[in-house]
Amino acid sequence: MALKLMGVPIHDVDFAATVTWIDRWIAEGGAHTIATVNTEFLMGARKDSTFRAALQRAALCVPDSVGVLWAAKYKGHPLRERVAGSDLVPQLAQVAAQRGWRIFLLGAAPGVAEKAAAILTVRNPGLQVAGCYAGSPSPDEAAEIVARIRASAADIIFVAYGAPKQDLWLDKYLSQTGAAVGIGIGGAFDFIAGVSQRAPVWIQRLGLEWLHRLITQPWRWRRQLALPHFVALVLLGRDDIG
Ligand code: UDP
């Protein structure tokens, strides 16, 4: 039986398996959303049935955080590895350059996606950037964004609007863009462009990226209370909803 946390399925995929799915979906066509699920997503989905339903419809919910890995293990469903949105963008850019996939970078503050794309192109010669656009998750802008992506003939869209906006956007509009795969990736462009600082790898390995983020972005403290709250609910067996 597949693992569900707060009614959200979590798929036991590692990076290689994620690439295999993407490869297949780009060959087949259609619209497939990938959600990079962390504890903030799960605590949001617990309260918000619209967000929960969007995540349930996603083709793949990958485990983005150590909190999700811990809960899976605690519940007897150990997962292969953390597949973080912040890692997916640089890693998939490398695969995209090799396979000729066209990527579109949507979201973040104006200019950030362009800067991230320029850096990714230098690191991965031959990378085909179909387009970059900050835009906004507001429904008023959706038609224009969809038209831009459609005209770009992108295969993969990375969407940086934060959760739940990026995932709701993909749930609603990905199928109109012509792209086979859409991935919500949070602050990944900010990290690549150097707008914000990712935790050093040794801190990530210790499972303390959340602590680094709390120290470097202290205004997020209220949102990060999701982690201890989530742990308490899992320990109490109150994660089984929807
Ligand atoms: N963002 C945006 N438009 C919005 C809200 C957010 O472009 O209306 C961008 C923001 O600039 C950042 C990313 O979305 O690049 C969200 O980053 P965050 O680190 O907050 O991601 P989360 O942890 O929420 O997934």
Side-chain angles (χ1 to χ4, degrees):
M1 204 182 65
L3 170 68
K4 271 193 170 188
L5 294 168
M6 307 301 174
V8 176
I10 308 291
H11 299 109
D12 183 18
V13 287
D14 53 14
F15 177 69
T18 306
V19 169
T20 303
W21 280 114
I22 292 174
D23 215 359
R24 185 166 156 181
W25 292 332
I26 290 176
E28 285 174 358
H32 304 84
T33 296
I34 301 180
T36 55
V37 176
N38 63 25
T39 50
E40 287 173 22
F41 279 59
L42 294 175
M43 294 304 282
R46 176 174 174 260
K47 284 273 153 78
D48 175 352
S49 58
T50 307
F51 184 32
R52 189 160 72 238
L55 294 175
Q56 287 167 345
R57 281 191 291 267
L60 210 52
C61 289
V62 300
D64 175 281
S65 75
V66 288
V68 173
L69 291 189
W70 167 81
K73 198 168 170 192
Y74 180 80
K75 291 174 69 69
H77 289 270
L79 301 171
R80 278 181 264 179
E81 76 179 9
R82 179 174 175 220
V83 182
S86 303
D87 294 322
L88 272 181
V89 180
Q91 289 172 331
L92 285 176
Q94 201 179 349
V95 181
Q98 290 158 3
R99 313 243 170 131
W101 296 340
R102 294 171 61 76
I103 63 168
F104 194 106
L105 286 72
L106 177 66
V112 174
E114 285 80 356
K115 191 164 179 202
I119 291 169
L120 290 172
T121 308
V122 169
R123 285 192 206 150
N124 304 285
L127 178 67
Q128 297 191 49
V129 177
C132 299
Y133 188 53
S136 109
S138 149
D140 305 345
E141 282 202 39
E144 199 213 322
I145 295 174
V146 164
R148 276 177 187 252
I149 300 172
R150 190 157 261 293
S152 79
D155 297 302
I156 304 180
I157 320 173
F158 294 119
V159 186
Y161 286 146
K165 289 181 196 153
Q166 61 196 18
D167 308 280
L168 295 172
W169 195 94
L170 284 167
D171 183 50
K172 223 164 167 180
Y173 303 113
L174 177 65
S175 60
Q176 300 173 31
T177 64
V181 179
I183 315 178
I185 44 78
F189 302 159
D190 296 337
F191 290 131
I192 296 166
V195 173
S196 52
Q197 215 67 42
R198 185 99 196 264
V201 173
W202 66 271
I203 291 184
Q204 293 179 38
R205 291 219 177 103
L206 286 174
L208 294 175
E209 189 163 16
W210 59 272
L211 180 61
H212 180 270
R213 208 153 194 205
L214 184 60
I215 293 165
T216 54
Q217 302 180 352
W219 59 90
R220 297 172 70 98
W221 71 271
R222 199 182 284 281
R223 285 178 51 182
Q224 287 201 311
L225 289 177
L227 180 58
H229 191 183
F230 172 74
V231 170
L233 290 173
V234 172
L235 291 175
L236 293 168
R238 289 175 43 199
D239 52 87
D240 194 14
I241 52 163

